[in-house]
Amino acid sequence: MIGSVWYVGYGSNLHAARLRYYLEGGTPPGGRRSCCGCRDPRRPERVVAHSMPGAVYFATESATWGGGRAFYDPSLPGTAACRAYLLTVGQFSDLAAQEMYRAPDGDLDLTTVLSAGRDVLGPGRYETLLHVGDLEGFPVLTFTAPWTADEVPWNPPSAVYLRMLGDGLRESHGWPPFRVAEYLCGLRGAEGFWSVDEVADLLAQ
């Protein structure tokens, strides 16, 4: 029986303070939706910078931040910068439920995702679980949409959302603002809409 897993955040959950709202409940600054929190609100046992093969892109419309949401597509070229949080299976299950706009209701059955690498729990955003490797003896899991980046219209992210991602990247990877801006502006959905200088200025505010 697995007691803990690494949850990998590549969007707003790059920012540790934002993740705590999923754990403890409440409305994050700049957000439009409140989180109910996890049954176990304790902070992660460990938090480390991480990366995954593939890339992040922006699509659909975020009810929390406005603009496009971040999704992960492992089939894209490149490397996705992310952050890994060591959580209990219960915390991961409750976090996933909130991202799916569902009420937390018991632990997820991780049998399929751990054996097959993928488990589609529903047709919507963040309802597809992925097993993207192992770290220090624990499985590394994330969630994304069931579609690929080429199967959905891209949508530029909002300024408040980009700032959240940018602050999370600086916090987790130690990147300077210009490198963060280059990374974010190279992602599908943001590319061609946001300039590197605009995002660098945004992060300096």
Side-chain angles (χ1 to χ4, degrees):
M1 178 70 70
I2 297 173
S4 298
V5 299
W6 291 97
Y7 157 63
V8 173
Y10 53 83
S12 63
N13 287 333
L14 282 161
H15 201 290
R18 192 276 179 270
L19 182 84
R20 283 201 292 273
Y21 286 91
Y22 278 127
L23 296 174
E24 301 172 4
T27 304
R32 302 173 185 172
R33 295 184 69 254
S34 180
C35 303
C36 63
C38 294
R39 291 167 291 166
D40 178 357
R42 289 177 299 171
R43 295 191 178 187
E45 184 177 337
R46 289 191 61 206
V47 183
V48 298
H50 198 61
S51 62
M52 303 183 289
V56 174
Y57 66 96
F58 299 98
T60 73
E61 182 76 16
S62 172
T64 301
W65 310 106
R69 296 180 179 93
F71 294 101
Y72 168 63
D73 185 343
S75 70
L76 290 175
T79 300
C82 48
R83 197 172 199 177
Y85 301 86
L86 189 59
L87 304 176
T88 67
V89 170
Q91 287 177 314
F92 174 78
S93 300
D94 292 354
L95 169 61
Q98 292 176 77
E99 285 277 27
M100 298 175 190
Y101 293 171
R102 302 177 182 180
D105 183 26
D107 293 354
L108 290 171
D109 182 352
L110 301 179
T111 304
T112 298
V113 69
L114 293 177
S115 61
R118 178 183 175 96
D119 190 9
V120 180
L121 304 181
R125 70 280 168 280
Y126 303 135
E127 293 186 335
T128 296
L129 304 181
L130 299 178
H131 179 201
V132 291
D134 297 278
L135 180 64
E136 299 177 357
F138 298 101
V140 179
L141 303 177
T142 193
F143 32 74
T144 187
W147 55 75
T148 68
D150 293 331
E151 295 173 332
V152 64
W154 304 332
N155 189 26
S158 68
V160 66
Y161 190 52
L162 270 186
R163 187 182 297 117
M164 181 73 71
L165 271 64
D167 287 345
L169 287 167
R170 288 195 291 177
E171 183 181 88
S172 57
H173 290 261
W175 291 355
F178 196 78
R179 182 177 177 186
V180 171
E182 285 185 318
Y183 171 79
L184 292 174
C185 290
L187 303 179
R188 289 165 170 81
E191 186 177 16
F193 183 87
W194 287 97
S195 72
V196 172
D197 287 341
E198 285 175 331
V199 175
D201 288 345
L202 190 66
L203 297 175
Q205 296 176 12

